[in-house]
Amino acid sequence: MEYISTRGRATALSFEPTLLAGLAGDGGLYVPDHWPKLSRQTLEGFRGAGFQHVAKTVLMPFLGSDVRPERFAEIVDEAYAGFSHADIAPLVALDDGHYLLELFHGPTLAFKDVAMQLLARLMDDALRRRGQRATIVGATSGDTGGAAIEAFRGRDAVDVFILYPQGRVSDIQRMQMTTPTDANVHTLAVDGTFDDCQALVKAMFNDSEFRQEVNLAGVNSINWARVMAQTTYYFTAAAQLGSPDTPVGFSVPTGNFGDIFAGYVAAQMGLPVARLMIATNVNDILARVMQAGIYETEEVIATSSPSMDIQVSSNFERLLFELTRRDAPRVSGFMNALARDGRFEMAEDEVALMSALFDAARVDEAQTQETMRDVLKRFDMQIDPHTAVGLAAARRAVLPDGVPMVSLATAHPAKFPAAVEAAFGTGPDIPARVREMMTQPERISPVENALGAVQTFIRQNGRMG
Ligand SMILES: *Cc1c(COP(=O)(O)O)cnc(C)c1O
């Protein structure tokens, strides 16, 4: 298995260098040169199988010969040992034919733990085997940062620097990043939006001198290993609902398009996926592109689902590569136009190809709250605002009779107490682990929204110099 860039001008790499590189040298994103196919028999074998078994089977073809199967099996087992639910990603029934896939039982209470716990161990393993160290930089709209810091804290081969938009994450999200005391983790509060943070990270990767100096590695969802690791739960959920005998629909609260792209990957690998619903909040660039084929950025609006307050969805580039039938020059053209004019226009057949598998729905703040209240009333269950966006969108999906719909529950409600309080009039139940964390002192480094300032901070505080 080799990985190629969506922009076509970077050397193809095997799995491990792809994992360590994050972004490709030509500014593109790595994708596998082909999609491995799982047999019907393999899919049938997933019924009743544990999450770890499915992860090992689904992910191994992506690793090629870079990681020994026995070592990978150990890494998978360790990665999910810290989850608080034995099923890792339990499926809960709501209405008839509608299910909630709970992805928030990891250490930082959001779905990003599922991929990050695996990625950190794969990366640490690769670096130690090579006798190398690396500097990880990542931008977070709230949940990635905590998940990365939790997964990498105390690991010897890496320093971690996380950039977050100051004032735009919840207290719990911030404290998950700022309370760990390990010397190898650093949290930078940037005077800007998430898109600014993401642009800073991209700029650091495009600065080849800096990139080499600190041996930069990325853990944002542009890292192929993140997307890859998220495919597992599409398979476990579908298997519980009778796959491969019946197709299944999924509704995915979407920001950077990483999680839902993992659903696309699962479909390419042979999982019968009926529809993939792109659920967005009022930052609805992905819903707009499906209507008119015009991808055009607007101002980011702050909402109660901050992890989806994104206008430039990085992983959409991976789908564009597919929709153009892997036409790298055309994808490069799109990305150049986006950087230059803030927009590009897709061809009709490209939009049609997208519509063959995807739907999109925009869910506003009132509908999000209404959905949270409705679920509390009917199922006595608190859900977080991101999950509510996904659920509201799921209800607008049109699926053939008898095809079940799975809404991805991407965060625990305790992570967003203000939104929960606004919807229910009382705050969420806070797990003991989180209450204890809220009493710890914080370490935050405010930085200017400027590349030079961030690079100076990393040079001064990292251990690569
Ligand atoms: C990151 C995140 C999302 C968006 O996921 P993408 O992969 O960026 O589309 C949705 N919900 C929560 C809670 C998140 O943390």
Side-chain angles (χ1 to χ4, degrees), residues 111-112 143 253-259 307-308 386 410-411:
F111 86 96
K112 295 194 170 72
D143 291 328
T254 298
N256 234 339
F257 210 76
D259 203 7
S307 297
M308 295 153 60
H386 303 78
T410 50

Side-chain angles (χ1 to χ4, degrees), residues 268-292:
Q268 302 317 300
M269 293 178 77
L271 186 73
V273 174
R275 304 293 296 165
L276 290 170
M277 170 62 89
I278 303 168
T280 79
N281 63 26
V282 293
N283 296 287
D284 63 345
I285 186 165
L286 292 165
R288 284 186 283 116
V289 76
M290 281 207 72
Q291 269 168 19

